[in-house]
Coordinates of all heavy atoms in Angstrom, one line a residue:
M79 N 23.5 10.3 -19.5 CA 22.3 9.9 -18.7 C 22.8 9.9 -17.2 O 23.9 9.6 -16.9 CB 21.8 8.6 -19.1 CG 21.6 7.5 -18.1 SD 21.0 6.0 -18.7 CE 19.5 6.5 -19.5
N80 N 21.9 10.3 -16.3 CA 22.2 10.3 -14.9 C 21.8 9.0 -14.2 O 21.0 8.2 -14.7 CB 21.4 11.4 -14.2 CG 21.8 12.8 -14.7 OD1 22.9 13.0 -15.1 ND2 20.8 13.7 -14.8
L81 N 22.4 8.7 -13.1 CA 22.2 7.5 -12.3 C 20.7 7.4 -12.0 O 20.1 6.4 -12.0 CB 23.1 7.5 -11.1 CG 22.9 6.4 -10.1 CD1 23.1 5.0 -10.7 CD2 23.8 6.6 -8.9
S82 N 20.1 8.6 -11.7 CA 18.7 8.5 -11.3 C 17.7 8.2 -12.4 O 16.6 7.9 -12.2 CB 18.3 9.9 -10.7 OG 18.5 10.9 -11.6
D83 N 18.2 8.2 -13.7 CA 17.4 7.9 -14.8 C 17.3 6.4 -15.1 O 16.4 6.0 -15.9 CB 17.9 8.6 -16.1 CG 17.9 10.1 -16.0 OD1 17.0 10.6 -15.3 OD2 18.8 10.7 -16.6
L84 N 18.1 5.6 -14.4 CA 18.0 4.2 -14.7 C 16.8 3.5 -14.1 O 16.1 4.1 -13.2 CB 19.3 3.5 -14.0 CG 20.6 3.9 -14.6 CD1 21.7 3.3 -13.8 CD2 20.8 3.6 -16.1
K85 N 16.5 2.4 -14.6 CA 15.3 1.6 -14.2 C 15.8 0.4 -13.4 O 17.0 0.0 -13.5 CB 14.5 1.1 -15.4 CG 14.0 2.1 -16.3 CD 13.0 3.0 -15.7 CE 12.5 4.0 -16.7 NZ 12.2 5.3 -16.1
P86 N 15.0 -0.2 -12.5 CA 15.4 -1.3 -11.7 C 16.1 -2.4 -12.6 O 15.6 -2.8 -13.6 CB 14.1 -1.8 -11.1 CG 13.3 -0.6 -11.0 CD 13.6 0.2 -12.2
E87 N 17.2 -2.9 -12.1 CA 18.0 -4.0 -12.6 C 18.8 -3.6 -13.9 O 19.5 -4.4 -14.5 CB 17.2 -5.2 -12.9 CG 16.5 -5.8 -11.7 CD 17.5 -6.1 -10.6 OE1 18.6 -6.7 -10.8 OE2 17.1 -5.8 -9.4
D88 N 18.8 -2.3 -14.2 CA 19.7 -1.8 -15.3 C 21.2 -1.8 -14.8 O 21.4 -1.5 -13.6 CB 19.4 -0.3 -15.6 CG 18.2 -0.2 -16.6 OD1 17.7 -1.2 -17.0 OD2 17.8 1.0 -16.8
T89 N 22.1 -2.2 -15.7 CA 23.5 -2.2 -15.4 C 24.1 -1.0 -16.1 O 23.8 -0.7 -17.3 CB 24.1 -3.5 -15.8 OG1 23.5 -4.6 -15.2 CG2 25.6 -3.5 -15.5
A90 N 25.0 -0.3 -15.4 CA 25.7 0.9 -16.0 C 27.1 1.0 -15.6 O 27.5 0.3 -14.6 CB 24.9 2.1 -15.7
I91 N 27.8 1.8 -16.3 CA 29.2 2.1 -16.0 C 29.3 3.6 -15.6 O 28.7 4.5 -16.3 CB 30.2 1.9 -17.2 CG1 30.1 0.4 -17.6 CG2 31.6 2.3 -16.8 CD1 30.6 -0.6 -16.6
I92 N 29.9 3.9 -14.5 CA 30.0 5.3 -14.0 C 31.0 6.1 -15.0 O 32.1 5.6 -15.2 CB 30.5 5.4 -12.6 CG1 29.5 4.8 -11.7 CG2 30.8 6.9 -12.2 CD1 30.0 4.7 -10.2
D93 N 30.5 7.2 -15.5 CA 31.4 8.0 -16.4 C 32.0 9.2 -15.6 O 33.2 9.4 -15.7 CB 30.5 8.7 -17.5 CG 30.1 7.6 -18.5 OD1 30.8 6.6 -18.7 OD2 29.0 7.8 -19.1
K94 N 31.2 9.9 -14.8 CA 31.7 11.0 -14.0 C 30.9 11.3 -12.8 O 29.7 11.2 -12.8 CB 31.7 12.3 -14.9 CG 32.3 13.5 -14.4 CD 32.4 14.6 -15.4 CE 33.0 15.8 -14.7 NZ 33.1 17.0 -15.6
I95 N 31.5 11.7 -11.7 CA 30.8 12.2 -10.5 C 31.0 13.7 -10.4 O 32.1 14.2 -10.3 CB 31.4 11.4 -9.3 CG1 31.1 9.9 -9.4 CG2 30.7 12.0 -8.0 CD1 31.6 9.1 -8.3
N96 N 29.9 14.4 -10.5 CA 29.9 15.8 -10.5 C 29.5 16.4 -9.1 O 28.7 17.3 -9.0 CB 28.9 16.4 -11.5 CG 29.2 15.9 -12.9 OD1 30.3 16.1 -13.3 ND2 28.2 15.4 -13.6
I97 N 30.2 15.8 -8.1 CA 29.9 16.2 -6.7 C 31.3 16.6 -6.1 O 32.2 15.8 -6.2 CB 29.3 15.1 -5.9 CG1 27.9 14.7 -6.5 CG2 29.1 15.5 -4.4 CD1 27.3 13.5 -5.9
K98 N 31.4 17.7 -5.5 CA 32.6 18.2 -5.0 C 32.6 18.1 -3.4 O 31.6 17.8 -2.9 CB 32.9 19.7 -5.4 CG 32.9 19.9 -6.8 CD 34.0 19.3 -7.5 CE 34.0 19.7 -9.0 NZ 34.7 18.7 -9.8
G99 N 33.7 18.4 -2.8 CA 33.8 18.5 -1.4 C 33.8 17.1 -0.7 O 34.2 16.1 -1.3
E100 N 33.4 17.1 0.6 CA 33.5 15.9 1.4 C 32.7 14.8 0.9 O 33.1 13.6 0.9 CB 33.2 16.2 2.8 CG 33.4 15.1 3.7 CD 33.1 15.4 5.2 OE1 33.3 16.6 5.6 OE2 32.8 14.4 5.9
L101 N 31.4 15.1 0.4 CA 30.5 14.1 -0.1 C 31.2 13.4 -1.4 O 31.1 12.2 -1.5 CB 29.2 14.6 -0.4 CG 28.2 13.6 -1.1 CD1 27.9 12.5 -0.1 CD2 26.9 14.3 -1.4
G102 N 31.7 14.2 -2.2 CA 32.4 13.6 -3.4 C 33.5 12.7 -3.0 O 33.6 11.6 -3.6
R103 N 34.3 13.1 -2.1 CA 35.4 12.2 -1.6 C 34.9 11.0 -1.0 O 35.4 9.9 -1.2 CB 36.3 13.0 -0.6 CG 37.2 14.0 -1.3 CD 38.3 14.5 -0.4 NE 37.7 15.1 0.8 CZ 37.3 16.4 0.9 NH1 37.4 17.2 -0.2 NH2 36.8 16.9 2.0
R104 N 33.8 11.1 -0.2 CA 33.2 9.9 0.5 C 32.7 8.9 -0.6 O 32.9 7.7 -0.4 CB 32.1 10.4 1.4 CG 31.6 9.2 2.2 CD 30.7 9.7 3.3 NE 31.5 10.4 4.3 CZ 31.1 11.2 5.3 NH1 29.8 11.3 5.4 NH2 31.8 11.8 6.1
L105 N 32.0 9.4 -1.6 CA 31.5 8.5 -2.7 C 32.7 7.8 -3.4 O 32.6 6.6 -3.7 CB 30.7 9.3 -3.7 CG 29.3 9.8 -3.1 CD1 28.6 10.7 -4.2 CD2 28.4 8.7 -2.7
L106 N 33.7 8.5 -3.6 CA 34.9 7.9 -4.2 C 35.5 6.8 -3.3 O 35.8 5.8 -3.8 CB 36.0 9.0 -4.5 CG 35.7 10.0 -5.6 CD1 36.7 11.1 -5.7 CD2 35.6 9.3 -7.0
D107 N 35.5 7.1 -2.0 CA 36.0 6.1 -1.1 C 35.2 4.9 -1.0 O 35.7 3.8 -0.7 CB 36.1 6.7 0.3 CG 37.2 7.7 0.4 OD1 38.1 7.8 -0.4 OD2 37.2 8.5 1.4
M108 N 33.9 5.0 -1.3 CA 32.9 3.9 -1.2 C 32.9 3.1 -2.6 O 32.2 2.2 -2.7 CB 31.5 4.4 -0.9 CG 31.4 4.8 0.5 SD 29.7 5.1 1.0 CE 29.4 6.7 0.2
G109 N 33.8 3.5 -3.5 CA 33.9 2.8 -4.8 C 33.2 3.4 -6.0 O 33.2 2.8 -7.0
L110 N 32.6 4.5 -5.8 CA 31.9 5.1 -7.0 C 32.9 6.0 -7.7 O 33.0 7.2 -7.6 CB 30.7 6.0 -6.5 CG 29.5 5.3 -5.9 CD1 28.5 6.3 -5.4 CD2 29.0 4.3 -6.8
V111 N 33.7 5.3 -8.5 CA 34.7 5.9 -9.3 C 34.4 5.7 -10.8 O 33.8 4.7 -11.1 CB 36.1 5.4 -8.9 CG1 36.5 5.8 -7.5 CG2 36.3 3.9 -9.1
P112 N 34.9 6.5 -11.7 CA 34.7 6.3 -13.1 C 35.2 4.9 -13.5 O 36.1 4.4 -13.0 CB 35.5 7.4 -13.8 CG 35.5 8.5 -12.8 CD 35.6 7.8 -11.4
S113 N 34.4 4.3 -14.5 CA 34.7 3.0 -15.0 C 34.2 1.8 -14.1 O 34.4 0.7 -14.4 CB 36.1 2.7 -15.4 OG 36.6 3.7 -16.3
T114 N 33.5 2.2 -13.0 CA 33.0 1.1 -12.1 C 31.6 0.7 -12.6 O 30.8 1.5 -12.9 CB 32.9 1.6 -10.7 OG1 34.2 2.0 -10.2 CG2 32.4 0.6 -9.7
K115 N 31.4 -0.6 -12.6 CA 30.1 -1.2 -13.0 C 29.2 -1.1 -11.8 O 29.5 -1.5 -10.7 CB 30.3 -2.6 -13.5 CG 29.0 -3.3 -13.9 CD 29.4 -4.7 -14.4 CE 28.1 -5.5 -14.7 NZ 28.4 -6.9 -15.1
I116 N 27.9 -0.7 -12.0 CA 26.9 -0.7 -11.0 C 25.6 -1.3 -11.5 O 25.4 -1.4 -12.7 CB 26.6 0.8 -10.5 CG1 26.1 1.6 -11.7 CG2 27.8 1.4 -9.9 CD1 25.3 2.8 -11.2
V117 N 24.8 -1.7 -10.6 CA 23.4 -2.2 -10.9 C 22.5 -1.4 -10.1 O 22.5 -1.3 -8.9 CB 23.3 -3.7 -10.6 CG1 21.9 -4.2 -10.9 CG2 24.3 -4.6 -11.3
F118 N 21.5 -0.8 -10.8 CA 20.5 0.0 -10.2 C 19.4 -1.0 -9.6 O 18.9 -1.8 -10.3 CB 19.8 0.9 -11.2 CG 18.9 1.9 -10.6 CD1 19.3 3.2 -10.1 CD2 17.5 1.6 -10.5 CE1 18.5 4.1 -9.6 CE2 16.7 2.6 -9.9 CZ 17.1 3.8 -9.5
R119 N 19.2 -0.9 -8.3 CA 18.2 -1.8 -7.7 C 16.8 -1.2 -7.6 O 15.9 -1.8 -8.1 CB 18.7 -2.2 -6.3 CG 20.0 -3.0 -6.3 CD 19.8 -4.3 -7.0 NE 21.0 -5.1 -7.0 CZ 21.2 -6.1 -7.7 NH1 20.3 -6.6 -8.6 NH2 22.4 -6.8 -7.6
R120 N 16.7 -0.1 -6.9 CA 15.4 0.5 -6.8 C 15.4 1.9 -6.4 O 16.5 2.4 -5.9 CB 14.5 -0.3 -5.8 CG 15.0 -0.3 -4.4 CD 14.1 -1.2 -3.5 NE 15.1 -1.8 -2.6 CZ 14.8 -3.0 -2.1 NH1 13.8 -3.6 -2.4 NH2 15.7 -3.5 -1.2
S121 N 14.3 2.6 -6.5 CA 14.2 4.0 -6.1 C 13.0 4.1 -5.2 O 11.9 3.6 -5.5 CB 14.0 4.9 -7.4 OG 13.9 6.2 -7.0
A122 N 13.2 4.9 -4.1 CA 12.1 5.1 -3.2 C 11.1 6.1 -3.8 O 11.6 7.0 -4.5 CB 12.6 5.6 -1.8
P123 N 9.9 6.1 -3.4 CA 8.9 7.1 -4.0 C 9.2 8.5 -3.4 O 9.8 8.6 -2.4 CB 7.6 6.5 -3.5 CG 7.8 5.6 -2.4 CD 9.2 5.1 -2.6
F124 N 8.6 9.4 -4.1 CA 8.6 10.8 -3.6 C 10.0 11.4 -3.5 O 10.4 12.0 -2.5 CB 7.9 11.0 -2.3 CG 6.4 10.5 -2.4 CD1 6.1 9.4 -1.6 CD2 5.5 11.0 -3.2 CE1 4.8 8.9 -1.6 CE2 4.2 10.5 -3.3 CZ 3.9 9.5 -2.5
S125 N 10.8 11.1 -4.5 CA 12.2 11.6 -4.5 C 13.1 11.1 -3.4 O 14.0 11.8 -2.9 CB 12.3 13.2 -4.6 OG 11.6 13.6 -5.7
G126 N 12.8 9.9 -2.9 CA 13.6 9.3 -1.8 C 14.9 8.8 -2.4 O 15.2 9.0 -3.5
P127 N 15.6 8.1 -1.6 CA 17.0 7.6 -2.0 C 16.9 6.5 -3.0 O 15.8 5.9 -3.2 CB 17.6 7.0 -0.7 CG 16.4 6.8 0.2 CD 15.3 7.7 -0.2
V128 N 18.0 6.2 -3.7 CA 18.1 5.2 -4.7 C 19.1 4.1 -4.2 O 20.0 4.5 -3.4 CB 18.5 5.7 -6.1 CG1 17.5 6.6 -6.7 CG2 19.9 6.3 -6.1
Q129 N 18.8 2.9 -4.5 CA 19.7 1.8 -4.0 C 20.4 1.2 -5.3 O 19.8 0.9 -6.3 CB 18.9 0.7 -3.4 CG 19.7 -0.5 -2.9 CD 18.9 -1.6 -2.2 OE1 17.6 -1.4 -2.2 NE2 19.5 -2.6 -1.8
I130 N 21.7 1.1 -5.1 CA 22.5 0.5 -6.2 C 23.4 -0.6 -5.6 O 23.7 -0.6 -4.4 CB 23.4 1.5 -6.9 CG1 24.4 2.2 -5.9 CG2 22.5 2.6 -7.6 CD1 25.4 3.2 -6.6
S131 N 23.9 -1.5 -6.5 CA 24.9 -2.5 -6.1 C 26.2 -2.0 -6.7 O 26.3 -1.8 -7.9 CB 24.5 -3.9 -6.6 OG 23.4 -4.4 -6.0
V132 N 27.2 -2.0 -5.9 CA 28.6 -1.6 -6.4 C 29.6 -2.3 -5.6 O 29.6 -2.4 -4.4 CB 28.8 0.0 -6.3 CG1 28.6 0.4 -4.9 CG2 30.1 0.4 -6.9
L133 N 30.5 -3.0 -6.4 CA 31.6 -3.7 -5.8 C 31.2 -4.7 -4.7 O 31.8 -4.9 -3.7 CB 32.7 -2.7 -5.2 CG 33.3 -1.7 -6.2 CD1 34.2 -0.7 -5.4 CD2 34.1 -2.5 -7.2
G134 N 30.1 -5.4 -5.0 CA 29.6 -6.4 -4.1 C 28.8 -6.0 -2.9 O 28.6 -6.9 -2.0
Y135 N 28.5 -4.8 -2.8 CA 27.6 -4.4 -1.6 C 26.5 -3.4 -2.1 O 26.6 -2.9 -3.2 CB 28.4 -3.8 -0.5 CG 29.0 -2.4 -0.8 CD1 28.4 -1.2 -0.4 CD2 30.2 -2.3 -1.4 CE1 28.9 0.0 -0.6 CE2 30.8 -1.0 -1.7 CZ 30.1 0.1 -1.3 OH 30.7 1.4 -1.5
E136 N 25.5 -3.2 -1.3 CA 24.4 -2.4 -1.6 C 24.6 -1.0 -1.0 O 25.1 -0.9 0.1 CB 23.1 -2.9 -1.0 CG 22.8 -4.3 -1.5 CD 22.5 -4.4 -3.0 OE1 21.7 -3.6 -3.5 OE2 23.1 -5.3 -3.7
L137 N 24.3 0.1 -1.7 CA 24.5 1.4 -1.3 C 23.3 2.2 -1.6 O 22.7 2.1 -2.7 CB 25.7 2.0 -2.1 CG 26.1 3.4 -1.8 CD1 26.5 3.6 -0.3 CD2 27.2 3.9 -2.7
C138 N 22.9 3.0 -0.7 CA 21.7 4.0 -0.9 C 22.3 5.4 -0.9 O 23.0 5.8 0.0 CB 20.7 3.8 0.2 SG 19.8 2.2 0.1
I139 N 21.9 6.2 -1.9 CA 22.3 7.6 -1.9 C 21.1 8.4 -2.2 O 20.1 7.9 -2.8 CB 23.4 7.8 -2.9 CG1 23.0 7.4 -4.4 CG2 24.7 7.1 -2.5 CD1 24.0 7.8 -5.4
R140 N 21.1 9.7 -1.9 CA 20.0 10.6 -2.1 C 19.8 10.7 -3.6 O 20.8 10.7 -4.4 CB 20.3 12.0 -1.5 CG 20.2 12.0 0.0 CD 20.5 13.4 0.4 NE 22.0 13.7 0.2 CZ 22.7 14.4 1.0 NH1 22.2 15.0 2.0 NH2 24.0 14.6 0.8
K141 N 18.5 10.9 -4.0 CA 18.2 11.0 -5.4 C 18.9 12.3 -6.0 O 19.4 12.3 -7.1 CB 16.7 11.1 -5.6 CG 16.3 11.1 -7.1 CD 14.9 10.9 -7.3 CE 14.6 10.8 -8.8 NZ 13.2 10.4 -9.1
S142 N 18.9 13.4 -5.2 CA 19.6 14.6 -5.7 C 21.1 14.4 -6.0 O 21.6 15.0 -6.9 CB 19.4 15.7 -4.6 OG 20.0 15.4 -3.4
D143 N 21.7 13.5 -5.2 CA 23.1 13.2 -5.5 C 23.2 12.2 -6.7 O 24.2 12.4 -7.5 CB 23.8 12.5 -4.3 CG 23.9 13.5 -3.1 OD1 23.9 14.7 -3.4 OD2 23.9 13.1 -2.0
A144 N 22.3 11.3 -6.9 CA 22.3 10.4 -8.0 C 22.1 11.2 -9.3 O 22.6 10.7 -10.3 CB 21.2 9.4 -7.8
E145 N 21.4 12.3 -9.3 CA 21.2 13.1 -10.5 C 22.6 13.8 -10.9 O 22.7 14.2 -12.0 CB 20.2 14.2 -10.2 CG 18.8 13.6 -10.1 CD 17.8 14.6 -9.6 OE1 18.1 15.7 -9.1 OE2 16.6 14.3 -9.6
K146 N 23.6 13.8 -10.1 CA 24.8 14.4 -10.4 C 25.9 13.4 -10.8 O 27.0 13.8 -11.0 CB 25.3 15.2 -9.2 CG 24.4 16.4 -8.8 CD 24.9 17.0 -7.5 CE 23.9 18.1 -7.1 NZ 24.2 18.6 -5.8
I147 N 25.5 12.1 -10.9 CA 26.4 11.1 -11.3 C 26.0 10.7 -12.7 O 24.9 10.2 -13.0 CB 26.4 9.9 -10.4 CG1 26.8 10.3 -9.0 CG2 27.2 8.8 -10.8 CD1 26.6 9.3 -7.9
T148 N 27.0 10.8 -13.7 CA 26.7 10.5 -15.1 C 27.2 9.1 -15.3 O 28.3 8.6 -14.9 CB 27.6 11.4 -16.0 OG1 27.3 12.8 -15.6 CG2 27.2 11.2 -17.4
V149 N 26.3 8.3 -16.0 CA 26.6 6.9 -16.3 C 26.3 6.6 -17.7 O 25.6 7.3 -18.4 CB 25.7 6.0 -15.4 CG1 26.0 6.1 -13.9 CG2 24.2 6.1 -15.6
S150 N 26.8 5.4 -18.2 CA 26.4 4.9 -19.5 C 25.8 3.5 -19.3 O 26.4 2.7 -18.6 CB 27.7 4.7 -20.4 OG 28.3 5.9 -20.6
R151 N 24.6 3.4 -19.8 CA 23.9 2.1 -19.6 C 24.5 1.0 -20.4 O 24.8 1.2 -21.6 CB 22.4 2.3 -20.0 CG 21.6 1.1 -19.6 CD 20.1 1.2 -20.0 NE 19.7 2.6 -19.8 CZ 18.4 3.0 -20.0 NH1 17.5 2.2 -20.3 NH2 18.1 4.2 -19.8
V152 N 24.7 -0.1 -19.7 CA 25.3 -1.3 -20.4 C 24.2 -2.2 -21.0 O 24.3 -2.6 -22.1 CB 26.2 -2.1 -19.4 CG1 26.7 -3.4 -20.1 CG2 27.3 -1.3 -18.9
N153 N 23.2 -2.5 -20.1 CA 22.0 -3.2 -20.6 C 20.8 -2.8 -19.8 O 20.9 -2.2 -18.7 CB 22.2 -4.7 -20.5 CG 22.3 -5.2 -19.1 OD1 22.3 -4.4 -18.1 ND2 22.4 -6.5 -18.9
A154 N 19.7 -3.0 -20.4 CA 18.4 -2.7 -19.7 C 17.6 -3.9 -19.7 O 17.5 -4.7 -20.6 CB 17.7 -1.6 -20.5
R155 N 16.9 -4.1 -18.6 CA 16.0 -5.3 -18.5 C 14.6 -4.9 -18.5 O 14.1 -3.9 -18.2 CB 16.3 -6.0 -17.1 CG 17.6 -6.6 -17.1 CD 17.8 -7.4 -15.9 NE 19.2 -7.9 -15.9 CZ 19.7 -8.7 -15.0 NH1 18.9 -9.1 -14.0 NH2 20.9 -9.1 -15.0

């Protein structure tokens, strides 16, 4: 499942980031690495950015990038 498929307050573990280049490195630097626990907060309408909690801070990323991050859902609320 992709990060963009989660619902608000779902908790998941990152499996793989399928983004190459500078953006991929930047996401890794911000803590989006495999086996990291995240909480999906919300998604903006009309394919806007998604907000997640990772390592104690909030992060917004483009929905198109969230679709390239594979996760495993831990629990759903």
Side-chain angles (χ1 to χ4, degrees):
M79 126 181 304
N80 295 329
L81 175 59
S82 61
D83 297 331
L84 296 175
K85 304 292 183 219
E87 300 306 317
D88 280 354
T89 302
I91 302 293
I92 296 175
D93 292 329
K94 185 175 181 181
I95 297 178
N96 300 310
I97 301 173
K98 304 291 182 206
E100 186 175 334
L101 178 60
R103 284 191 303 276
R104 187 169 290 168
L105 292 174
L106 291 172
D107 290 343
M108 289 189 283
L110 293 179
V111 295
S113 302
T114 301
K115 181 179 172 182
I116 61 159
V117 178
F118 187 89
R119 294 297 181 194
R120 63 182 144 212
S121 178
F124 308 113
S125 297
V128 298
Q129 180 182 1
I130 60 172
S131 292
V132 58
L133 301 175
Y135 71 96
E136 302 296 312
L137 177 65
C138 291
I139 60 174
R140 289 181 288 215
K141 187 169 186 174
S142 62
D143 294 333
E145 292 170 348
K146 297 175 185 170
I147 299 173
T148 307
V149 297
S150 297
R151 190 179 320 185
V152 176
N153 67 353
R155 291 186 185 184

